[in-house]
Amino acid sequence: MSGIVGNNSLSVKIGDYGEINYLFYPHVGYETHIFDSALAIYDKKIKWHWDDDWNICQSYIPETNIFKTVLEDDKIILTIKDLVPVSHNVLIRRLHIKNKLDKKIFFKLFFYESLRIGENPTENTVKFLDDEECIVKFDKKYIFCIGSDKKIDSFQCGNRYSKNSAYIDVENGILKENKESSGLMTDSAICWNIEIDKKRSLAFNIYIIPQKFDVDLSIITEQLNIIKNNSDHIKNLSLNYWRNYIGDIRKYINPELVSDCNIYSIAKRALMILLMLCDKDGGIIASPSLYPDYRYVWGRDGSYIAIALDLYGIRGLPNRFFEFMSKVQNEDGSWLQNYYVNGNPRLTALQIDQVGSVLWAMDVHYRLSGDRRFVKRYWKTIEKAGNYLNYAGLNFTQCYDLWEEKFGVFAYTMGAIYAGLKCAYSMSKAVDKREEVKHWEKTIEFLKKEVPKRFYLKEEGRFAKSINPLNKEVDISILGLSYPFNLIEIDDERMIKTAEDIEKSFNYKVGGIGRYPSDIYFGGNPWIISTLWLSLYYKRLSGILKEKNDERYSYFLQKSKKLFDWVVKYSFGGMFPEQIHKDLGIPMSAMPLGWSNAMFLISIYENDNIIIP
């Protein structure tokens, strides 16, 4: 299954076998440190944690961001609980070993690492410190410390592809106790001699601490000792923080769903996942994923996530996101395609929908908080972005689509332009700037009239994906014209026809809705956001039709529920991936994906009127 643990500076990816794949530090998403860790047991022969005869299960402990991996064979149950506390930048790995046999058991337990430090690894040094009984590994920029609260019985510092490799020593069951090694691919291992009476258990912690390095080794070893001596307090502080920070979210959930324990559990986990995507400097990454590489700040993804957090009463993190976006905004009012969490540009393609998305999210934040000071603080950001959208809307400016694949004038983009401009115009009243931006109102009216006219396909009876160049392919993003951006009425018969044509275009073995029929990304699969998008559209359509005494409301409500139930089925421990394999039903691409989790939270919110411009 795999999972992530983290705070707003340190994020760690735990693999399917309980291994540490990589970690991000000192920011969520940056820099990447490839860890390549492993646990192994030696009892006459070596047994790695990835060997076939382990039964493995993984899950988050409810109400926490502690990720649990259980490995069981015919002799022992090895439980790993991974925690990154809110108060300290440390990964605490709690190992609990239970003896299943009716006799005492003896074996060696190894922890191995071949950490490559930083985005561009250079030569580093790995050392075993006798006095502190820990491994330290450092280059000119960072230092990592690996220690334990159980006495370490042996160690090895080596180089991965050499005769003194710690990996080779683990395979042989005996560590050579070389105290220091340098090179591009250093590795190390520590060993504990384990002795457990029949039917008894043993537990201890491994601590992994990253820090900036300033030549003084004592700083990180002192930190290790502080964490060792206060580990229970640090853990309890984090548990209380998560419990109090999130609170009881039942008051935000649709009354029809609030009593469903499964949905409530998924919602809690989805919200906690979003917290771990928020960096200390305000950026919100799309996913803590390297394959594909989504560890960046997109204005669009961040806006959906900020809205979900706002809906569930979390105001501070969206506010910090808007501060981040304000700092990286271009002078013309636009934003680049995406950014590193430290604010540096990454990809620079023009995607105008992202400008609209940020303004939309800011307006939702303002309407939920009622804080005029917020609008005043960011008015220059809002005004610049509004002027940019005003020009882009009047001129039907070409750009890349939200999928980052095609260039043209897209339905989704025009919906986002309309919503963003309308939201900016709405916020202008809070700072008495309405007269100064009166020209925006004319553009809003122009878009409301011209977009449906230019995008409508008479022969097909529905709307196009793009014009200039014309693309008639159905695409889930066309719904953006109506939901959530409200340029075209939800119950416009042309939009209803568009939605039904989208639904009919997908016939995957496992069900669900894709992006567009010719999609080949990861083989072309149903997406969580696509399926939720159509479900949300049908749900809102049903409500409007019911108010008008239109008998079709029940039909569309059932469609919405069927799509929603499909999404719930493909939650993995409360996490949502980007895609579901169309034949196998397994998660594909990034997991967790922030946008997927955010869309789920939006879909179960008590009333989505607040997000409609």
Side-chain angles (χ1 to χ4, degrees), residues 237-270:
L237 180 68
S238 293
L239 295 179
N240 289 330
Y241 171 84
W242 294 323
R243 192 177 298 116
N244 294 330
Y245 192 74
I246 292 178
D248 185 2
I249 64 170
R250 287 183 178 88
K251 59 187 175 183
Y252 302 113
I253 297 175
N254 188 310
E256 295 179 7
L257 301 173
V258 72
S259 61
D260 189 315
C261 293
N262 184 39
I263 288 175
Y264 177 73
S265 175
I266 294 171
K268 274 262 186 174
R269 177 58 47 208

mmCIF file of all heavy atoms in Angstrom, residues 237-270:
data_model
loop_
_atom_site.group_PDB
_atom_site.id
_atom_site.type_symbol
_atom_site.label_atom_id
_atom_site.label_comp_id
_atom_site.label_asym_id
_atom_site.label_seq_id
_atom_site.Cartn_x
_atom_site.Cartn_y
_atom_site.Cartn_z
ATOM 1 N N LEU A 237 2.396 14.711 22.309
ATOM 2 C CA LEU A 237 2.171 16.075 21.842
ATOM 3 C C LEU A 237 1.596 16.076 20.428
ATOM 4 O O LEU A 237 0.658 16.821 20.116
ATOM 5 C CB LEU A 237 3.488 16.858 21.879
ATOM 6 C CG LEU A 237 3.439 18.313 21.414
ATOM 7 C CD1 LEU A 237 2.638 19.158 22.400
ATOM 8 C CD2 LEU A 237 4.852 18.879 21.269
ATOM 9 N N SER A 238 2.148 15.216 19.576
ATOM 10 C CA SER A 238 1.654 15.120 18.198
ATOM 11 C C SER A 238 0.236 14.575 18.149
ATOM 12 O O SER A 238 -0.609 15.084 17.396
ATOM 13 C CB SER A 238 2.591 14.226 17.367
ATOM 14 O OG SER A 238 3.852 14.831 17.208
ATOM 15 N N LEU A 239 -0.043 13.551 18.946
ATOM 16 C CA LEU A 239 -1.388 12.973 18.963
ATOM 17 C C LEU A 239 -2.423 14.017 19.381
ATOM 18 O O LEU A 239 -3.497 14.125 18.776
ATOM 19 C CB LEU A 239 -1.436 11.771 19.906
ATOM 20 C CG LEU A 239 -0.579 10.558 19.523
ATOM 21 C CD1 LEU A 239 -0.719 9.458 20.575
ATOM 22 C CD2 LEU A 239 -0.960 10.022 18.149
ATOM 23 N N ASN A 240 -2.102 14.777 20.395
ATOM 24 C CA ASN A 240 -3.023 15.822 20.858
ATOM 25 C C ASN A 240 -3.162 16.934 19.826
ATOM 26 O O ASN A 240 -4.252 17.478 19.633
ATOM 27 C CB ASN A 240 -2.525 16.406 22.189
ATOM 28 C CG ASN A 240 -2.693 15.431 23.341
ATOM 29 O OD1 ASN A 240 -3.602 14.598 23.339
ATOM 30 N ND2 ASN A 240 -1.807 15.502 24.322
ATOM 31 N N TYR A 241 -2.067 17.263 19.155
ATOM 32 C CA TYR A 241 -2.103 18.305 18.136
ATOM 33 C C TYR A 241 -3.062 17.928 17.011
ATOM 34 O O TYR A 241 -3.929 18.715 16.634
ATOM 35 C CB TYR A 241 -0.701 18.534 17.581
ATOM 36 C CG TYR A 241 -0.656 19.447 16.376
ATOM 37 C CD1 TYR A 241 -0.624 20.827 16.531
ATOM 38 C CD2 TYR A 241 -0.657 18.930 15.080
ATOM 39 C CE1 TYR A 241 -0.595 21.676 15.427
ATOM 40 C CE2 TYR A 241 -0.627 19.762 13.972
ATOM 41 C CZ TYR A 241 -0.592 21.132 14.156
ATOM 42 O OH TYR A 241 -0.571 21.955 13.055
ATOM 43 N N TRP A 242 -2.899 16.718 16.457
ATOM 44 C CA TRP A 242 -3.759 16.299 15.345
ATOM 45 C C TRP A 242 -5.223 16.257 15.780
ATOM 46 O O TRP A 242 -6.118 16.678 15.043
ATOM 47 C CB TRP A 242 -3.324 14.932 14.826
ATOM 48 C CG TRP A 242 -1.974 14.930 14.197
ATOM 49 C CD1 TRP A 242 -1.418 15.924 13.434
ATOM 50 C CD2 TRP A 242 -0.987 13.907 14.294
ATOM 51 N NE1 TRP A 242 -0.151 15.572 13.042
ATOM 52 C CE2 TRP A 242 0.143 14.334 13.546
ATOM 53 C CE3 TRP A 242 -0.928 12.662 14.918
ATOM 54 C CZ2 TRP A 242 1.297 13.569 13.422
ATOM 55 C CZ3 TRP A 242 0.212 11.900 14.799
ATOM 56 C CH2 TRP A 242 1.311 12.353 14.058
ATOM 57 N N ARG A 243 -5.439 15.737 16.970
ATOM 58 C CA ARG A 243 -6.822 15.614 17.464
ATOM 59 C C ARG A 243 -7.481 16.989 17.609
ATOM 60 O O ARG A 243 -8.616 17.203 17.203
ATOM 61 C CB ARG A 243 -6.809 14.882 18.806
ATOM 62 C CG ARG A 243 -8.168 14.426 19.297
ATOM 63 C CD ARG A 243 -8.045 13.652 20.602
ATOM 64 N NE ARG A 243 -7.252 12.441 20.437
ATOM 65 C CZ ARG A 243 -6.081 12.230 21.053
ATOM 66 N NH1 ARG A 243 -5.572 13.135 21.845
ATOM 67 N NH2 ARG A 243 -5.431 11.104 20.867
ATOM 68 N N ASN A 244 -6.733 17.934 18.181
ATOM 69 C CA ASN A 244 -7.296 19.262 18.423
ATOM 70 C C ASN A 244 -7.322 20.124 17.172
ATOM 71 O O ASN A 244 -8.236 20.934 16.986
ATOM 72 C CB ASN A 244 -6.489 19.971 19.516
ATOM 73 C CG ASN A 244 -6.620 19.294 20.866
ATOM 74 O OD1 ASN A 244 -7.651 18.701 21.163
ATOM 75 N ND2 ASN A 244 -5.583 19.366 21.681
ATOM 76 N N TYR A 245 -6.332 19.978 16.300
ATOM 77 C CA TYR A 245 -6.240 20.818 15.109
ATOM 78 C C TYR A 245 -7.374 20.520 14.137
ATOM 79 O O TYR A 245 -7.998 21.424 13.581
ATOM 80 C CB TYR A 245 -4.892 20.611 14.422
ATOM 81 C CG TYR A 245 -4.580 21.635 13.357
ATOM 82 C CD1 TYR A 245 -4.215 22.927 13.704
ATOM 83 C CD2 TYR A 245 -4.657 21.314 12.002
ATOM 84 C CE1 TYR A 245 -3.923 23.881 12.742
ATOM 85 C CE2 TYR A 245 -4.369 22.259 11.030
ATOM 86 C CZ TYR A 245 -3.999 23.535 11.409
ATOM 87 O OH TYR A 245 -3.725 24.474 10.443
ATOM 88 N N ILE A 246 -7.639 19.250 13.944
ATOM 89 C CA ILE A 246 -8.706 18.856 13.018
ATOM 90 C C ILE A 246 -10.075 18.938 13.694
ATOM 91 O O ILE A 246 -11.054 19.399 13.104
ATOM 92 C CB ILE A 246 -8.449 17.438 12.467
ATOM 93 C CG1 ILE A 246 -7.217 17.464 11.556
ATOM 94 C CG2 ILE A 246 -9.665 16.921 11.705
ATOM 95 C CD1 ILE A 246 -6.832 16.126 11.002
ATOM 96 N N GLY A 247 -10.124 18.493 14.933
ATOM 97 C CA GLY A 247 -11.384 18.559 15.669
ATOM 98 C C GLY A 247 -12.410 17.569 15.142
ATOM 99 O O GLY A 247 -12.092 16.638 14.394
ATOM 100 N N ASP A 248 -13.642 17.797 15.515
ATOM 101 C CA ASP A 248 -14.744 16.935 15.075
ATOM 102 C C ASP A 248 -15.289 17.473 13.758
ATOM 103 O O ASP A 248 -15.968 18.505 13.733
ATOM 104 C CB ASP A 248 -15.834 16.891 16.137
ATOM 105 C CG ASP A 248 -16.942 15.904 15.783
ATOM 106 O OD1 ASP A 248 -16.819 15.227 14.723
ATOM 107 O OD2 ASP A 248 -17.919 15.818 16.536
ATOM 108 N N ILE A 249 -14.996 16.796 12.666
ATOM 109 C CA ILE A 249 -15.387 17.303 11.344
ATOM 110 C C ILE A 249 -16.808 16.891 10.961
ATOM 111 O O ILE A 249 -17.274 17.231 9.874
ATOM 112 C CB ILE A 249 -14.402 16.848 10.259
ATOM 113 C CG1 ILE A 249 -14.415 15.319 10.109
ATOM 114 C CG2 ILE A 249 -12.999 17.361 10.547
ATOM 115 C CD1 ILE A 249 -13.641 14.820 8.900
ATOM 116 N N ARG A 250 -17.501 16.190 11.843
ATOM 117 C CA ARG A 250 -18.865 15.760 11.506
ATOM 118 C C ARG A 250 -19.773 16.949 11.182
ATOM 119 O O ARG A 250 -20.673 16.842 10.355
ATOM 120 C CB ARG A 250 -19.469 14.953 12.660
ATOM 121 C CG ARG A 250 -18.884 13.554 12.815
ATOM 122 C CD ARG A 250 -19.585 12.795 13.930
ATOM 123 N NE ARG A 250 -19.076 11.439 14.051
ATOM 124 C CZ ARG A 250 -18.026 11.110 14.812
ATOM 125 N NH1 ARG A 250 -17.403 12.054 15.504
ATOM 126 N NH2 ARG A 250 -17.611 9.862 14.879
ATOM 127 N N LYS A 251 -19.528 18.078 11.826
ATOM 128 C CA LYS A 251 -20.385 19.247 11.615
ATOM 129 C C LYS A 251 -20.259 19.812 10.208
ATOM 130 O O LYS A 251 -21.105 20.606 9.780
ATOM 131 C CB LYS A 251 -20.048 20.335 12.633
ATOM 132 C CG LYS A 251 -18.605 20.810 12.592
ATOM 133 C CD LYS A 251 -18.322 21.768 13.745
ATOM 134 C CE LYS A 251 -16.850 22.165 13.788
ATOM 135 N NZ LYS A 251 -16.554 23.043 14.942
ATOM 136 N N TYR A 252 -19.214 19.411 9.480
ATOM 137 C CA TYR A 252 -19.024 19.909 8.117
ATOM 138 C C TYR A 252 -19.550 18.936 7.054
ATOM 139 O O TYR A 252 -19.677 19.297 5.889
ATOM 140 C CB TYR A 252 -17.540 20.159 7.844
ATOM 141 C CG TYR A 252 -16.901 21.136 8.797
ATOM 142 C CD1 TYR A 252 -15.939 20.724 9.702
ATOM 143 C CD2 TYR A 252 -17.255 22.481 8.784
ATOM 144 C CE1 TYR A 252 -15.333 21.622 10.577
ATOM 145 C CE2 TYR A 252 -16.667 23.385 9.656
ATOM 146 C CZ TYR A 252 -15.703 22.946 10.551
ATOM 147 O OH TYR A 252 -15.114 23.839 11.407
ATOM 148 N N ILE A 253 -19.824 17.704 7.457
ATOM 149 C CA ILE A 253 -20.193 16.666 6.497
ATOM 150 C C ILE A 253 -21.691 16.684 6.227
ATOM 151 O O ILE A 253 -22.498 16.951 7.120
ATOM 152 C CB ILE A 253 -19.740 15.277 7.010
ATOM 153 C CG1 ILE A 253 -18.211 15.239 7.137
ATOM 154 C CG2 ILE A 253 -20.210 14.160 6.093
ATOM 155 C CD1 ILE A 253 -17.681 13.953 7.750
ATOM 156 N N ASN A 254 -22.055 16.402 4.998
ATOM 157 C CA ASN A 254 -23.456 16.315 4.602
ATOM 158 C C ASN A 254 -24.223 15.422 5.584
ATOM 159 O O ASN A 254 -23.802 14.308 5.877
ATOM 160 C CB ASN A 254 -23.545 15.724 3.190
ATOM 161 C CG ASN A 254 -24.940 15.763 2.619
ATOM 162 O OD1 ASN A 254 -25.896 15.339 3.250
ATOM 163 N ND2 ASN A 254 -25.059 16.277 1.408
ATOM 164 N N PRO A 255 -25.337 15.909 6.118
ATOM 165 C CA PRO A 255 -26.099 15.136 7.110
ATOM 166 C C PRO A 255 -26.460 13.729 6.647
ATOM 167 O O PRO A 255 -26.597 12.817 7.474
ATOM 168 C CB PRO A 255 -27.359 15.987 7.325
ATOM 169 C CG PRO A 255 -26.935 17.376 6.981
ATOM 170 C CD PRO A 255 -25.943 17.238 5.873
ATOM 171 N N GLU A 256 -26.623 13.536 5.344
ATOM 172 C CA GLU A 256 -26.981 12.216 4.833
ATOM 173 C C GLU A 256 -25.812 11.230 4.925
ATOM 174 O O GLU A 256 -26.008 10.021 4.833
ATOM 175 C CB GLU A 256 -27.438 12.328 3.376
ATOM 176 C CG GLU A 256 -28.725 13.130 3.199
ATOM 177 C CD GLU A 256 -29.125 13.248 1.739
ATOM 178 O OE1 GLU A 256 -28.469 12.599 0.897
ATOM 179 O OE2 GLU A 256 -30.087 13.982 1.441
ATOM 180 N N LEU A 257 -24.599 11.748 5.087
ATOM 181 C CA LEU A 257 -23.410 10.897 5.098
ATOM 182 C C LEU A 257 -22.726 10.830 6.459
ATOM 183 O O LEU A 257 -21.886 9.963 6.683
ATOM 184 C CB LEU A 257 -22.391 11.406 4.064
ATOM 185 C CG LEU A 257 -22.845 11.464 2.616
ATOM 186 C CD1 LEU A 257 -21.784 12.153 1.761
ATOM 187 C CD2 LEU A 257 -23.127 10.066 2.075
ATOM 188 N N VAL A 258 -23.079 11.732 7.351
ATOM 189 C CA VAL A 258 -22.311 11.895 8.578
ATOM 190 C C VAL A 258 -22.325 10.657 9.473
ATOM 191 O O VAL A 258 -21.389 10.424 10.252
ATOM 192 C CB VAL A 258 -22.809 13.141 9.354
ATOM 193 C CG1 VAL A 258 -24.165 12.891 9.986
ATOM 194 C CG2 VAL A 258 -21.790 13.583 10.375
ATOM 195 N N SER A 259 -23.363 9.852 9.379
ATOM 196 C CA SER A 259 -23.449 8.656 10.225
ATOM 197 C C SER A 259 -22.723 7.454 9.634
ATOM 198 O O SER A 259 -22.632 6.411 10.281
ATOM 199 C CB SER A 259 -24.918 8.293 10.471
ATOM 200 O OG SER A 259 -25.567 8.000 9.245
ATOM 201 N N ASP A 260 -22.211 7.603 8.420
ATOM 202 C CA ASP A 260 -21.481 6.513 7.774
ATOM 203 C C ASP A 260 -20.046 6.498 8.308
ATOM 204 O O ASP A 260 -19.245 7.369 7.977
ATOM 205 C CB ASP A 260 -21.482 6.713 6.256
ATOM 206 C CG ASP A 260 -20.926 5.515 5.500
ATOM 207 O OD1 ASP A 260 -19.890 4.986 5.922
ATOM 208 O OD2 ASP A 260 -21.515 5.134 4.475
ATOM 209 N N CYS A 261 -19.734 5.518 9.120
ATOM 210 C CA CYS A 261 -18.417 5.457 9.778
ATOM 211 C C CYS A 261 -17.279 5.345 8.777
ATOM 212 O O CYS A 261 -16.189 5.904 9.004
ATOM 213 C CB CYS A 261 -18.370 4.275 10.743
ATOM 214 S SG CYS A 261 -19.487 4.455 12.153
ATOM 215 N N ASN A 262 -17.508 4.644 7.683
ATOM 216 C CA ASN A 262 -16.466 4.471 6.680
ATOM 217 C C ASN A 262 -16.131 5.799 6.007
ATOM 218 O O ASN A 262 -14.949 6.163 5.850
ATOM 219 C CB ASN A 262 -16.903 3.447 5.636
ATOM 220 C CG ASN A 262 -15.808 3.150 4.624
ATOM 221 O OD1 ASN A 262 -14.622 3.055 4.965
ATOM 222 N ND2 ASN A 262 -16.186 3.001 3.370
ATOM 223 N N ILE A 263 -17.167 6.525 5.624
ATOM 224 C CA ILE A 263 -16.950 7.816 4.972
ATOM 225 C C ILE A 263 -16.301 8.801 5.938
ATOM 226 O O ILE A 263 -15.394 9.560 5.565
ATOM 227 C CB ILE A 263 -18.281 8.369 4.421
ATOM 228 C CG1 ILE A 263 -18.703 7.540 3.207
ATOM 229 C CG2 ILE A 263 -18.159 9.846 4.056
ATOM 230 C CD1 ILE A 263 -20.041 7.901 2.640
ATOM 231 N N TYR A 264 -16.732 8.781 7.191
ATOM 232 C CA TYR A 264 -16.128 9.660 8.194
ATOM 233 C C TYR A 264 -14.651 9.344 8.368
ATOM 234 O O TYR A 264 -13.807 10.252 8.440
ATOM 235 C CB TYR A 264 -16.867 9.503 9.523
ATOM 236 C CG TYR A 264 -16.262 10.309 10.641
ATOM 237 C CD1 TYR A 264 -16.396 11.690 10.690
ATOM 238 C CD2 TYR A 264 -15.541 9.682 11.661
ATOM 239 C CE1 TYR A 264 -15.839 12.441 11.710
ATOM 240 C CE2 TYR A 264 -14.980 10.416 12.691
ATOM 241 C CZ TYR A 264 -15.130 11.792 12.713
ATOM 242 O OH TYR A 264 -14.565 12.526 13.721
ATOM 243 N N SER A 265 -14.315 8.067 8.406
ATOM 244 C CA SER A 265 -12.920 7.644 8.556
ATOM 245 C C SER A 265 -12.077 8.076 7.365
ATOM 246 O O SER A 265 -10.948 8.567 7.521
ATOM 247 C CB SER A 265 -12.857 6.122 8.732
ATOM 248 O OG SER A 265 -11.523 5.668 8.761
ATOM 249 N N ILE A 266 -12.628 7.897 6.160
ATOM 250 C CA ILE A 266 -11.904 8.307 4.951
ATOM 251 C C ILE A 266 -11.706 9.820 4.945
ATOM 252 O O ILE A 266 -10.630 10.316 4.586
ATOM 253 C CB ILE A 266 -12.665 7.863 3.685
ATOM 254 C CG1 ILE A 266 -12.691 6.336 3.587
ATOM 255 C CG2 ILE A 266 -12.021 8.451 2.429
ATOM 256 C CD1 ILE A 266 -13.594 5.806 2.486
ATOM 257 N N ALA A 267 -12.735 10.555 5.351
ATOM 258 C CA ALA A 267 -12.649 12.013 5.382
ATOM 259 C C ALA A 267 -11.554 12.481 6.335
ATOM 260 O O ALA A 267 -10.769 13.388 6.013
ATOM 261 C CB ALA A 267 -13.990 12.615 5.788
ATOM 262 N N LYS A 268 -11.481 11.879 7.508
ATOM 263 C CA LYS A 268 -10.429 12.230 8.472
ATOM 264 C C LYS A 268 -9.050 11.986 7.881
ATOM 265 O O LYS A 268 -8.141 12.825 8.008
ATOM 266 C CB LYS A 268 -10.610 11.397 9.751
ATOM 267 C CG LYS A 268 -11.556 11.980 10.756
ATOM 268 C CD LYS A 268 -10.761 12.720 11.842
ATOM 269 C CE LYS A 268 -11.691 13.199 12.942
ATOM 270 N NZ LYS A 268 -10.971 13.784 14.078
ATOM 271 N N ARG A 269 -8.903 10.829 7.248
ATOM 272 C CA ARG A 269 -7.594 10.502 6.672
ATOM 273 C C ARG A 269 -7.271 11.435 5.514
ATOM 274 O O ARG A 269 -6.124 11.913 5.397
ATOM 275 C CB ARG A 269 -7.594 9.035 6.206
ATOM 276 C CG ARG A 269 -6.301 8.582 5.523
ATOM 277 C CD ARG A 269 -5.081 8.750 6.395
ATOM 278 N NE ARG A 269 -5.316 8.237 7.728
ATOM 279 C CZ ARG A 269 -4.703 8.685 8.823
ATOM 280 N NH1 ARG A 269 -3.848 9.671 8.729
ATOM 281 N NH2 ARG A 269 -4.982 8.165 10.011
ATOM 282 N N ALA A 270 -8.248 11.719 4.662
ATOM 283 C CA ALA A 270 -8.020 12.622 3.533
ATOM 284 C C ALA A 270 -7.561 13.987 4.026
ATOM 285 O O ALA A 270 -6.657 14.610 3.454
ATOM 286 C CB ALA A 270 -9.292 12.759 2.693
#
